[in-house]
């Protein structure tokens, strides 16, 4: 179909890959838990746009350039790690503030979400500043593209559409699950602080993992 081979195997692998936790899905869950469904989908839209850009770059051969140019790969890698670290520090600072005021806060006194967070932009940048994601899209997609097909770009579009559909379903589940957590977070300041600390720690882990990545 449209130059795509072994579609069932692709879909099975795609589901497993989408379900693996990463900075994108974690950030969307965090936004939904703190700010609700609308903001959750705003962050998710940033992820989808970022993934679309990465898929386009991969199809255009940018992944091959990153694989062969160690300097360029290093620049993108450390820029991405730095941004993830910056997000992690922000989360940990917010968690510390919640922990210090845990006895003062009630559901009515809970602080309002930061107006300048801009979930779409943050999620978009997190998606883009990950060279391993670009390499993954090529390494995974190319296995299911028929080299004899006359229009390989169409094959990439079909594979990308399935990937975005899987991402939409998964992030939607996280968003609605996150809003259920929000009520508990508002009632229990310690729980909110602990969850935010865990998210910040995981983002630091993602940053460290990215710095250790090789092309």
């Amino acid at each position: 179909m449209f130059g795509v081979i072994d579609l069932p195997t692709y879909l099975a692998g795609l589901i497993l890959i989408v379900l693996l936790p990463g900075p994108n899905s974690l950030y969307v869950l965090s936004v939904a838990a703190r700010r609700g469904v609308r903001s959750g989908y705003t962050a998710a839209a940033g992820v989808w746009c970022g993934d679309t850009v990465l898929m386009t770059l991969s199809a255009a051969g940018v992944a091959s350039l990153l694989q062969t140019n160690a300097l360029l790969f290093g620049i993108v890698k450390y820029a991405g790690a730095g941004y993830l670290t910056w997000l992690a520090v922000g989360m940990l600072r917010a968690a510390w503030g919640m922990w210090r005021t845990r006895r003062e806060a009630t559901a009515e006194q809970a602080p309002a979400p930061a107006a300048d967070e801009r979930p779409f932009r943050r999620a978009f940048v997190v998606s883009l500043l990950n060279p391993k994601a670009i390499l993954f899209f090529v390494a995974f997609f190319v296995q299911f593209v028929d080299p004899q097909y006359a229009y390989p770009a169409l094959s990439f579009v079909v594979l990308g559409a399935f990937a975005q559909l899987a991402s939409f379903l998964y992030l939607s589940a996280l968003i609605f699950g996150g809003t259920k957590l929000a009520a508990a977070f508002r009632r229990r300041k310690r729980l909110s602080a602990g969850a935010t600390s865990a998210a910040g720690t995981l983002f630091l882990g993602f940053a460290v993992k990215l710095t250790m990545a090789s092309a």
Side-chain angles (χ1 to χ4, degrees):
M1 181 182 69
F2 303 111
V4 176
I5 58 177
D6 203 0
L7 183 59
T9 301
Y10 169 75
L11 294 178
L14 179 64
I15 291 173
L16 292 176
I17 291 165
V18 168
L19 291 177
L20 289 175
N24 292 343
S25 58
L26 180 62
Y27 181 67
V28 170
L29 176 61
S30 172
V31 170
R34 290 181 288 109
R35 306 183 62 172
V37 171
R38 183 173 181 177
S39 293
Y41 271 110
T42 299
V47 172
W48 298 325
C49 289
D51 285 348
T52 299
V53 172
L54 293 184
M55 293 176 196
T56 303
L57 293 176
S58 297
V62 173
S64 298
L65 178 61
L66 285 175
Q67 285 179 313
T68 57
N69 190 318
L71 177 60
L72 180 59
F73 181 85
I75 292 174
V76 178
K77 178 175 71 172
Y78 287 111
Y83 188 72
L84 290 177
T85 301
W86 179 72
L87 290 179
V89 170
M91 290 180 178
L92 292 173
R93 289 180 62 186
W96 175 245
M98 286 185 285
W99 180 259
R100 292 180 60 186
T101 60
R102 64 189 183 281
R103 294 181 179 177
E104 304 171 8
T106 64
E108 292 74 24
Q109 296 170 329
D116 60 347
E117 183 175 354
R118 299 181 183 178
F120 177 88
R121 186 179 67 179
R122 287 197 176 186
F124 183 71
V125 174
V126 168
S127 296
L128 288 183
L129 291 179
N130 189 352
K132 299 302 293 183
I134 304 177
L135 301 180
F136 158 75
F137 279 124
V138 162
F140 188 63
F141 280 18
V142 73
Q143 300 177 48
F144 302 95
V145 175
D146 184 355
Q148 305 301 321
Y149 188 63
Y151 307 102
L154 180 58
S155 303
F156 274 94
V157 170
V158 173
L159 294 172
F162 279 114
Q164 293 288 49
L165 176 61
S167 178
F168 173 81
L169 295 175
Y170 178 57
L171 292 182
S172 293
L174 291 182
I175 288 168
F176 286 101
T179 55
K180 291 182 178 180
L181 293 175
F185 287 165
R186 285 193 294 268
R187 290 193 305 267
R188 301 182 180 181
K189 205 63 176 177
R190 290 184 179 181
L191 177 62
S192 181
T196 305
S197 299
T201 301
L202 284 174
F203 265 72
L204 281 178
F206 291 135
V208 172
K209 182 178 179 180
L210 184 55
T211 60
M212 300 173 65
S214 58

